[in-house]
């Protein structure tokens, strides 16, 4: 059983034509199992991506075991996001990290997550990826607003959403009449 924090072998974004938009492979030297020898050359990576795309190009699933790697993926308009891990990894943890990344990218790009938008804002997407995965290690927090807060600072959209939600909750709370407040003070 792998008890290390290193859980991700690769992160991929592939378009619906099977072309690589973004790929980041992790081969940490400090990994307890030693440095990985899989998917180290560009030729191996391209072949793996092509085969993986052929298996996952149709929407409907979200986890697949392909070529001795666990792939968790999520479709978005004309892109597919993948997190690749070892087969012994916790797929729920990988899925939670992928969903958090996807939600953060949706917030950053204002729900315009398509190939053109990702390429135009590649710097933000890469910063978000670095917040999600640090040299193959997935942090313990998965909330997309935490990623946005790290990237944009305290005046992010998440705080505005939270503030407006709090206002909405306060408006929905039943209001006490003046007479009820006075009787409660007396008691």
């Amino acid at each position: 059983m792998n008890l290390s924090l290193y859980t991700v072998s690769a992160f991929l974004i592939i378009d619906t034509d099977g072309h690589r938009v973004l790929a980041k492979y992790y081969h940490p030297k400090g990994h307890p199992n030693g440095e990985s020898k899989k998917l180290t050359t560009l030729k191996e990576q391209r072949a793996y991506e092509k085969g993986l795309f052929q298996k996952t190009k149709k929407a409907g699933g979200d986890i697949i075991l392909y070529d001795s790697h666990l792939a968790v993926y999520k479709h978005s308009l004309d892109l597919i996001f993948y997190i690749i891990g070892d087969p012994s990894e916790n797929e729920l943890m990988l899925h939670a990290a992928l969903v958090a990344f996807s939600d953060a990218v949706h917030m950053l790009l204002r729900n315009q997550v398509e190939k053109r938008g990702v390429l135009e804002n590649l710097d933000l997407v890469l910063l978000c990826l670095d917040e999600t995965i640090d040299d193959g290690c997935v942090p313990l927090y998965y909330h997309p607003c935490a990623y946005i807060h790290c990237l944009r600072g305290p005046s992010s959209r998440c705080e505005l959403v939270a503030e407006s939600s709090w206002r909405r909750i306060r408006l929905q709370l039943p209001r006490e009449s003046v007479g009820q407040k006075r009787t409660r003070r007396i008691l």
Side-chain angles (χ1 to χ4, degrees), residues 27-40:
H27 304 288
K29 293 183 175 149
H31 194 283
N33 296 336
E35 191 173 347
S36 175
K37 304 293 183 208
K38 296 178 184 177
L39 303 174
T40 54

Side-chain angles (χ1 to χ4, degrees), residues 7 36 49 51-52 62 75-76 78 99 107 123-124 133 141-142 159 162 173 183 186:
T7 59
S36 175
E49 291 168 15
L52 182 64
D62 56 356
H75 287 266
S76 177
D78 61 347
V99 168
M107 284 184 206
D123 55 343
L124 290 175
I133 304 167
Y141 60 92
Y142 295 122
E159 289 183 8
L173 292 176
T183 56
I186 296 171

Side-chain angles (χ1 to χ4, degrees), residues 101-117:
F101 172 81
S102 175
D103 290 348
V105 169
H106 274 80
M107 284 184 206
L108 283 171
L109 302 181
R110 294 179 178 85
N111 289 328
Q112 298 299 318
V113 181
E114 54 191 21
K115 184 177 179 178
R116 182 173 163 238

Side-chain angles (χ1 to χ4, degrees), residues 35-140:
E35 191 173 347
S36 175
K37 304 293 183 208
K38 296 178 184 177
L39 303 174
T40 54
T41 66
L42 182 63
K43 185 177 179 182
E44 290 174 347
Q45 293 171 1
R46 294 283 184 165
Y48 180 79
E49 291 168 15
K50 183 178 178 183
L52 182 64
F53 172 74
Q54 291 299 321
K55 293 286 185 183
T56 61
K57 63 184 172 184
K58 294 183 181 175
D62 56 356
I63 298 174
I64 187 172
L65 186 63
Y66 175 73
D67 195 25
S68 73
H69 287 90
L70 180 67
V72 180
Y73 61 99
K74 182 173 181 167
H75 287 266
S76 177
L77 295 179
D78 61 347
L79 298 173
I80 307 171
F81 298 110
Y82 296 93
I83 288 186
I84 312 297
D86 290 330
S88 62
E89 295 298 340
N90 185 346
E91 61 271 3
L92 295 176
M93 189 169 88
L94 296 177
H95 186 264
L98 180 64
V99 168
F101 172 81
S102 175
D103 290 348
V105 169
H106 274 80
M107 284 184 206
L108 283 171
L109 302 181
R110 294 179 178 85
N111 289 328
Q112 298 299 318
V113 181
E114 54 191 21
K115 184 177 179 178
R116 182 173 163 238
V118 167
L119 291 174
E120 287 176 356
N121 297 293
L122 194 58
D123 55 343
L124 290 175
V125 173
L126 284 171
L127 284 171
C128 188
L129 177 60
D130 287 341
E131 286 294 321
T132 307
I133 304 167
D134 182 26
D135 197 27
C137 181
V138 178
L140 296 177

Side-chain angles (χ1 to χ4, degrees), residues 17 20 132 164 167 171 183:
D17 297 328
R20 175 193 285 193
T132 307
S164 66
R167 276 192 223 126
L171 291 174
T183 56

